[in-house]
Amino acid sequence: CISMKSEDYLELPDRIEHDVPVILDKAAAKAYRDLETNMLLQVDEEEIVTATTRATLTGKLLQLCNGAVYDETGEVIQIHDCKMEVFTETLEQLQGQHVLVYYYYRHDVDRIVNALAGSGLTVRVYRGADEEKAWNAGEIDVLLAQPASCGYGLNLQDGGHHIIWFGMTWSLEEYQQANKRLHRQGQKYPVIIHRLIVKGGMDEDVIQSLEHKDKSQEALIAALKARVDRVREGIQ
């Protein structure tokens, strides 16, 4: 048995990863430091967000990077618009090219939809076959998708070649498979993956983790291929 990447036997277009820095304003940076240091964030006199474990803290910090957090009752507390502003600027720079946007938390998609209301863009949230068909037909300007729900089996290469990661995932498999929705056989253009990364935030840790896992996986595949080649040479 040998593991092969699609690039090994298919002719695919280039794939470019473009990291877009997000700088938190003073208030947002202070909120981030307070939560990271004290595992507690007081938004105002009444609303307090706490993280009882390190795992919970990691999730809260990722949410805060995106601009909002869930409180103890599941309500959404808006913290900042820093990443949203960079997101809309990135869309403007693409000058109308269709974009597949990956979000992670439910409050991400709700805030993105609100931010793009009145923009004149056709914005849809991926639900199933109807969105897949409309996207590939060029009827959707911005398609919002959760990587865990559409990472496999979808052919979206006909609808565009730009991806924006608004919220990152820790899972290398989810990340790779989600990007493969556009970077696959039949894609006519280089696929550009824009990753919105909060400087000094948990976003950077996620990127480092993904890159480390990817390098380890590449090393394993390379070792397997080398061993197979040695065995074949021995047989011949």
Side-chain angles (χ1 to χ4, degrees):
C1 176
I2 182 170
S3 175
M4 297 182 70
K5 297 170 61 180
S6 55
E7 289 87 345
D8 294 332
Y9 57 91
L10 295 176
E11 185 174 342
L12 297 175
D14 291 338
R15 195 189 85 168
I16 303 166
E17 290 183 331
H18 172 219
D19 286 350
V20 184
V22 178
I23 308 299
L24 297 181
D25 58 34
K26 289 184 178 179
K30 181 181 183 305
Y32 188 94
R33 289 195 302 271
D34 288 346
L35 182 58
E36 184 176 42
T37 303
N38 305 319
M39 300 180 71
L40 182 147
L41 172 62
Q42 185 166 342
V43 181
D44 54 34
E45 293 182 357
E46 296 181 357
E47 293 180 306
I48 296 178
V49 177
T50 60
T52 56
T53 67
R54 299 301 298 180
T56 303
L57 178 62
T58 296
K60 295 292 185 185
L61 291 174
L62 274 178
Q63 292 175 42
L64 202 154
C65 282
N66 294 354
V69 295
Y70 292 111
D71 68 11
E72 308 310 307
T73 66
E75 293 296 318
V76 178
I77 301 175
Q78 176 79 20
I79 304 296
H80 66 82
D81 287 319
C82 302
K83 181 175 280 194
M84 193 65 69
E85 290 171 0
V86 173
F87 169 71
T88 55
E89 289 171 2
T90 303
L91 282 182
E92 291 173 1
Q93 292 169 3
L94 297 182
Q95 299 181 334
Q97 297 183 76
H98 297 175
V99 183
L100 175 60
V101 177
Y102 285 116
Y103 66 91
Y104 198 77
Y105 299 101
R106 180 65 206 181
H107 60 63
D108 292 340
V109 69
D110 292 338
R111 289 182 298 112
I112 291 172
V113 169
N114 290 334
L116 297 182
S119 66
L121 298 172
T122 301
V123 181
R124 296 269 293 273
V125 180
Y126 175 77
R127 307 294 186 192
D130 289 345
E131 284 73 34
E132 180 180 3
K133 181 178 179 181
W135 166 262
N136 283 322
E139 299 170 0
I140 299 176
D141 296 314
V142 179
L143 178 61
L144 306 177
Q146 220 283 349
S149 65
C150 70
Y152 296 88
L154 288 181
N155 297 308
L156 301 176
Q157 67 273 15
D158 293 331
H161 61 102
H162 284 278
I163 294 172
I164 294 179
W165 281 87
F166 184 87
M168 296 299 300
T169 174
W170 288 99
S171 170
L172 177 62
E173 183 178 10
E174 281 186 3
Y175 178 73
Q176 292 178 331
Q177 289 297 324
N179 290 331
K180 282 295 182 184
R181 297 317 97 213
L182 299 190
H183 189 241
R184 58 193 298 108
Q185 192 173 27
Q187 175 61 256
K188 299 180 179 62
Y189 305 97
V191 174
I192 304 177
I193 302 167
H194 311 268
R195 306 188 298 191
L196 309 187
I197 308 300
V198 170
K199 301 299 292 182
M202 188 61 67
D203 284 348
E204 292 184 334
D205 294 329
V206 174
I207 293 298
Q208 291 177 5
S209 175
L210 291 174
E211 291 176 349
H212 176 73
K213 291 175 183 176
D214 191 35
K215 289 177 181 178
S216 298
Q217 183 170 285
E218 290 291 335
L220 175 60
I221 292 175
L224 285 171
K225 289 179 180 178
R227 178 171 291 276
V228 169
D229 289 341
R230 290 197 299 270
V231 170
R232 286 176 174 172
E233 290 173 0
I235 293 176
Q236 294 174 354

